[in-house]
Amino acid sequence: MSGFMQSDHDSPTGRGSLPPSPVIAPALKVQKARHTLNDASSLSQSEINLPYRRSHPSAASLYASTLSPPASRSQSPIGRPASRVTSSVFNTGSNNGLALVSGAGDSPGDPLNLILRAFVPHVAVYTSEDTDILLKEKGFARGLWELLRPFGERVQGKVIIRDSNGSSRTYEDYSIHFVRFGEGIVHPESVTTNLKNAQVPRSNGASEKSNEPGRGSPRQGISISDVESVTDRHLRYAEESFFSLPQSPTNHGLDIDVPSPYYALYLRRLLSGLPLTPHETFAHPVASVIAISSRNQDPIGTLQRLYDESFSGDARLPNWVNAEYLRYYVLVHEEERDDITRSMSLFDQMKRNFGLHCHLLRIRGTQSVATDDDSIPLPRSEWMSAAEEMADIRKSEDQEDFEDPTRYIFDSDATAIRTFIREMVTQSIIPTMERKVSEWNDQVASRRRGLAGRFVGLTKRWGFGSSSRTSFSGQGSGSNYDSLGFYRQETPEAIMRKLADYAFMLRDWKLANSTYDLLRSDFNNDKAWRYHAAANEMAAISLLIMPQNISARSRVETIDTAFEAAFYSYITRCSAPYGALRCLALGMELLRLRGGSCVDDAAKWGIRLLESRIMGPVGDALIKERLAVCYASKQGMGSHLWGSRRRKSAMWSVLGAESWVAQSKFIQAQRCLNEARKTYSELPSGNGIDKFSYASMLVLGIGKQLNENLEAGEHLQDDGSTSDDDESEAVDEESEALDVVRGRRISTLGLPGGTAGAGLETAPLKAQLDASEEERERQDTGEAKDDFG
């Protein structure tokens, strides 16, 4: 696309393009609705209670995460990065990650915030039968895990963590994930598995396996098709609810500074429900909550039985999971029926038998309803898996008597649960992780960092000191890589991988990065390709989060090499499209946040992700939107902003609009096209697309399709709507004004450089040229330039 490769400022004073004309949306006062919608935030506030045409009206709460975006959004393309990162990040000479993690919790949908909240300690919940019965009576059919999960997503108060150097840092946005014990296990494939039978993802919407993962227990990891389906349902709900409003807010363009709620949902579901796999230990339990209730007749014996079952019994985890994780014993006391004196005595006995990692959780046994004086709504978990959310959505669509899934609990119960989680995290989980990191670092990792460790690595690589016997998979007898496709929990490689993941979850980026870097060569020598891909992925991600400058040369030698190795191993050697998508999507966002020349690298990996065709149509359109945002965040230099990527940003906005139109997602397409038109209109004269016939016709055609489809939906809504007799006259009084100015009309969107009053039939658009320019146009006999301007 040669037009985009030109400078944005090759004609700073010419008059060859139309002047900018921002879209002006006057507020329409509708007497029937008694309110006015002025901006995009009004959509989120009004759609919550709207009926869904295909789902039950009670299902509105299922879509609250995308219908409630942040209220205030700056329209500046670089507003968000400028507030997050210091100014030195965005100049062309340097980049810095110092301010990346500071304030990451301010925006729940921010990609960096999602990364920090996805790779956190996982706590498995293992309960007795009497505890499950108590929680079912309280309204939680899936037990204690269902009650605790929403509260773990934001630990109350400040959490202090010490790194490997002894420095303490305080975080107010720390979180943990509660999971059900023993679920989500994905067993590794043997090295003898015939990879030709694996499904190779080469078409949009492909997933690793055809079997859909069940609720809470994915057999083959996270399915990209589930993530696509969930996001598509949210988009469809917004489209069908759109015409119920008196005026649409879609005169705005893309939210450059704050991610789209649908893109944030896509990333969150991509990172939710991490499966229990051997090649990465983020989902391995850091601790296990073993809980009994005050109803139990043999409390100490039951706790011992649950421990034995989880450690060496039938419920034990696979042998590639380290079984020496923290056990935290909880006594659930029912306030209304049981004796607190007996429970306190039992709790003291628990501490004498099992140590200080115990807690007495006092909750009410009755079910709370919305009409109770001290009831509060239980927040819906933001980190449920895509398969789980998809099951809830399908239930709302299939069941006629579907009830609002919002749960209520007593305020006293919420206070008790927050106190319990805070004490467990600050007094047990964090200190245990810090102690394990120090132990593994001193006993295992430090031996590999010295000269002796490097020598051992060389001898292991070339087979010196080992017998001549080699395995069928190509590894020598000195390799710790099991033929079943994993490292056993006691091997140095497994311990170091756990060390690196613990350091990452404790936000000790330097230790994590150095450990991942050590592991890459070991996994490569052992041909443990899934381990190798995951180590390269996390090495690059941890380096990008680290608070240090990264030169262009270092970026090529380390980050680009790591992403390339991870992507190649995930796709070619492992047939794991989910890993490839996660790797490049997170890498693109972290590179974009660093600004400067990193923006071009971020766009490069985003385009690489599109070319791989491992996503479905929804993900494809969302990545195109993010590429537009990525290029828009590139600041230029000087008064003319030399080096900016505004025209590339506009191009990707147009391509995003084209993808959304193909999926009949006209609201999203309208916003993309609005952003493209606005960007083109703000370019210096002579750099629009009015002189490029193909690009002009493409933008014009998209705008025309949007007009036709939005008007058709508007008329359909008008025909199906009914009103009372006493309100009809009031509506008629406003009908003439509504016919004059329609909030959903976007006739100007097809005009990349046109004015608000221009017509759609004037294509391609031409500027008002002076006499000399018109003469040169008549004398020009060359072919039309079929490209974006």
Side-chain angles (χ1 to χ4, degrees):
M1 299 181 178
S2 59
F4 265 98
M5 303 310 294
Q6 301 172 9
S7 171
D8 287 349
H9 308 278
D10 54 356
S11 180
T13 59
R15 293 174 289 176
S17 66
L18 293 170
S21 58
V23 178
I24 301 175
L28 299 182
K29 182 178 180 181
V30 182
Q31 187 171 350
K32 179 180 179 179
R34 300 290 183 182
H35 67 276
T36 302
L37 301 178
N38 295 318
D39 51 18
S41 62
S42 301
L43 175 65
S44 62
Q45 299 298 327
S46 302
E47 281 185 346
I48 299 299
N49 299 320
L50 289 176
Y52 184 35
R53 296 180 183 177
R54 297 183 181 177
S55 293
H56 196 276
S58 299
S61 61
L62 299 178
Y63 305 95
S65 60
T66 51
L67 292 178
S68 301
S72 59
R73 297 182 177 182
S74 171
Q75 293 301 315
S76 170
I78 56 173
R80 179 64 180 176
S83 62
R84 161 75 59 79
V85 191
T86 57
S87 59
S88 62
V89 177
F90 295 101
N91 57 40
T92 57
S94 64
N95 54 80
N96 182 15
L98 181 61
L100 285 182
V101 294
S102 60
D106 296 341
S107 177
D110 188 271
L112 179 59
N113 176 273
L114 296 178
I115 295 174
L116 297 180
R117 296 178 62 193
F119 301 106
V120 296
H122 282 56
V123 179
V125 180
Y126 195 38
T127 59
S128 61
E129 294 80 2
D130 53 281
T131 308
D132 293 336
I133 294 174
L134 171 61
L135 268 298
K136 287 182 180 179
E137 294 176 357
K138 194 172 176 59
F140 298 92
R142 287 180 281 180
L144 183 63
W145 161 76
E146 185 181 7
L147 175 62
L148 298 179
R149 180 170 62 165
F151 293 95
E153 295 172 359
R154 187 66 179 259
V155 179
Q156 186 181 30
K158 298 180 180 180
V159 177
I160 302 176
I161 302 177
R162 297 180 61 185
D163 59 18
S164 56
N165 296 324
S167 302
S168 298
R169 293 183 179 273
T170 302
Y171 301 99
E172 298 184 2
D173 60 342
Y174 203 75
S175 61
I176 60 174
H177 288 173
F178 285 100
V179 296
R180 285 189 282 191
F181 185 85
E183 293 200 349
I185 299 176
V186 177
H187 294 281
E189 294 181 356
S190 172
V191 294
T192 60
T193 302
N194 186 3
L195 295 180
K196 293 182 181 180
N197 295 330
Q199 180 181 355
V200 180
R202 290 300 177 191
S203 60
N204 283 349
S207 60
E208 285 126 315
K209 298 291 181 179
S210 58
N211 296 331
E212 181 182 5
R215 172 188 289 260
S217 57
R219 294 289 183 178
Q220 298 296 335
I222 299 175
S223 172
I224 299 178
S225 60
D226 283 341
V227 179
E228 292 270 334
S229 299
V230 167
T231 311
D232 181 73
R233 287 297 204 284
H234 280 255
L235 286 164
R236 186 187 305 175
Y237 182 86
E239 291 283 334
E240 297 187 2
S241 302
F242 169 72
F243 294 103
S244 299
L245 296 178
Q247 178 190 359
S248 83
T250 53
N251 54 296
H252 293 288
L254 293 176
D255 294 319
I256 302 298
D257 53 339
V258 177
S260 161
Y262 305 105
Y263 180 73
L265 174 69
Y266 193 92
L267 271 188
R268 188 183 298 112
R269 291 296 168 260
L270 197 67
L271 299 173
S272 299
L274 295 178
L276 196 66
T277 59
H279 64 275
E280 63 180 17
T281 65
F282 290 111
H284 292 203
V286 172
S288 175
V289 170
I290 299 178
I292 61 172
S293 72
S294 53
R295 301 177 179 180
N296 197 287
Q297 300 301 319
D298 182 20
I300 302 301
T302 302
L303 288 174
Q304 186 64 49
R305 176 178 60 83
L306 294 175
Y307 171 82
D308 293 338
E309 290 177 356
S310 63
F311 183 77
S312 58
D314 296 336
R316 70 182 184 276
L317 298 176
N319 57 357
W320 37 264
V321 177
N322 192 336
E324 297 181 359
Y325 47 84
L326 172 69
R327 265 70 173 189
Y328 198 88
Y329 301 92
V330 176
L331 173 61
V332 181
H333 171 73
E334 185 181 358
E335 291 278 16
E336 297 164 333
R337 297 182 183 178
D338 294 329
D339 184 12
I340 184 60
T341 304
R342 177 181 177 275
S343 296
M344 292 293 293
S345 176
L346 176 58
F347 180 64
D348 292 336
Q349 188 179 357
M350 287 172 54
K351 289 190 291 184
R352 288 194 299 268
N353 285 271
F354 301 103
L356 297 178
H357 299 298
C358 300
H359 189 86
L360 175 61
L361 180 61
R362 302 172 60 175
I363 61 174
R364 299 173 62 177
T366 57
Q367 183 174 353
S368 176
V369 294
T371 56
D372 292 336
D373 294 336
D374 58 344
S375 68
I376 60 174
L378 180 68
R380 184 173 172 82
S381 175
E382 296 180 2
W383 291 93
M384 65 175 61
S385 65
E388 181 182 351
E389 183 175 6
M390 198 62 222
D392 291 340
I393 293 176
R394 289 197 180 106
K395 184 186 298 183
S396 69
E397 295 174 349
D398 298 338
Q399 297 181 1
E400 293 294 336
D401 56 346
F402 181 78
E403 297 181 356
D404 189 347
T406 304
R407 305 290 179 84
Y408 292 87
I409 62 172
F410 297 104
D411 185 56
S412 58
D413 293 348
T415 302
I417 293 173
R418 293 191 189 101
T419 303
F420 154 60
I421 292 177
R422 173 166 176 79
E423 289 185 3
M424 181 177 63
V425 171
T426 58
Q427 300 178 14
S428 298
I429 292 180
I430 297 298
T432 300
M433 294 180 68
E434 293 173 346
R435 185 172 61 254
K436 288 292 186 181
V437 166
S438 177
E439 176 185 336
W440 293 333
N441 190 30
D442 293 340
Q443 297 180 3
V444 182
S446 60
R447 298 179 181 179
R448 288 293 318 278
R449 296 190 177 96
L451 181 60
R454 296 180 182 273
F455 179 74
V456 171
L458 288 175
T459 57
K460 180 180 176 181
R461 177 179 180 181
W462 298 105
F464 298 130
S466 62
S467 63
S468 58
R469 179 179 60 87
T470 58
S471 65
F472 50 83
S473 60
Q475 290 88 9
S477 60
S479 172
N480 293 320
Y481 189 54
D482 197 286
S483 60
L484 297 177
F486 61 87
Y487 291 94
R488 297 186 180 274
Q489 56 175 309
E490 68 274 3
T491 60
E493 291 84 358
I495 294 175
M496 290 179 62
R497 173 68 206 212
K498 201 168 186 66
L499 164 65
D501 290 346
Y502 269 41
F504 192 95
M505 290 185 288
L506 293 176
R507 305 186 183 183
D508 190 351
W509 318 116
K510 185 176 181 180
L511 176 61
N513 177 259
S514 62
T515 309
Y516 288 129
D517 191 58
L518 283 175
L519 289 171
R520 290 191 298 173
S521 58
D522 291 347
F523 296 150
N524 182 59
N525 297 335
D526 293 340
K527 296 182 175 58
W529 299 125
R530 198 177 290 265
Y531 283 85
H532 179 255
N536 278 280
E537 174 192 2
M538 297 311 299
I541 290 176
S542 58
L543 181 59
L544 287 173
I545 302 178
M546 285 176 60
Q548 68 177 30
N549 293 333
I550 303 178
S551 63
R553 178 179 178 181
S554 176
R555 196 165 62 244
V556 172
E557 294 176 351
T558 56
I559 296 176
D560 288 359
T561 302
F563 279 142
E564 184 65 41
F567 185 77
Y568 179 79
S569 294
Y570 275 134
I571 290 295
T572 306
R573 292 165 170 163
C574 306
S575 298
Y578 164 75
L581 172 57
R582 188 184 75 175
C583 173
L584 294 192
L586 300 185
M588 178 184 69
E589 292 298 336
L590 291 176
L591 284 167
R592 180 189 66 85
L593 284 176
R594 283 187 167 266
S597 58
C598 292
V599 170
D600 295 320
D601 284 353
K604 176 186 70 176
W605 291 114
I607 296 173
R608 179 73 174 274
L609 190 57
L610 292 176
E611 293 173 347
S612 66
R613 301 179 65 83
I614 60 178
M615 299 177 295
V618 174
D620 183 85
L622 289 173
I623 291 298
K624 289 176 180 177
E625 280 189 4
R626 294 308 291 173
L627 284 171
V629 171
C630 183
Y631 279 124
S633 65
K634 179 67 177 294
Q635 277 191 341
M637 299 177 62
S639 58
H640 293 289
L641 300 178
W642 299 102
S644 62
R645 302 290 187 267
R646 291 181 294 174
R647 294 195 296 113
K648 287 187 177 181
S649 174
M651 180 195 73
W652 284 109
S653 294
V654 172
L655 296 179
E658 185 181 30
S659 297
W660 288 125
V661 168
Q663 303 174 52
S664 300
K665 302 296 189 298
F666 303 112
I667 299 178
Q668 294 299 112
Q670 182 177 359
R671 290 176 175 173
C672 287
L673 204 55
N674 267 334
E675 186 64 32
R677 191 208 60 79
K678 180 181 177 182
T679 303
Y680 280 129
S681 67
E682 292 175 350
L683 291 175
S685 55
N687 289 296
I689 61 170
D690 50 326
K691 294 184 179 180
F692 300 92
S693 59
Y694 177 80
S696 298
M697 290 298 296
L698 174 63
V699 176
L700 186 70
I702 295 175
K704 188 174 182 180
Q705 290 183 58
L706 291 178
N707 275 333
E708 294 173 352
N709 286 279
L710 290 176
E711 285 188 350
E714 190 177 49
H715 294 323
L716 181 63
Q717 175 67 20
D718 293 339
D719 294 339
S721 62
T722 59
S723 59
D724 296 334
D725 294 335
D726 56 343
E727 295 178 341
S728 60
E729 295 181 0
V731 174
D732 291 337
E733 293 177 0
E734 298 291 340
S735 61
E736 185 174 354
L738 288 174
D739 291 336
V740 175
V741 183
R742 289 184 178 269
R744 299 186 185 92
R745 285 300 301 270
I746 51 166
S747 59
T748 60
L749 291 177
L751 315 178
T755 60
L760 284 173
E761 55 274 3
T762 58
L765 301 175
K766 291 294 181 181
Q768 299 296 330
L769 305 176
D770 55 22
S772 60
E773 289 175 334
E774 292 179 355
E775 183 65 24
R776 285 194 296 270
E777 286 284 336
R778 288 193 295 268
Q779 294 176 358
D780 186 6
T781 58
E783 296 182 356
K785 301 176 183 179
D786 293 338
D787 209 339
F788 292 93

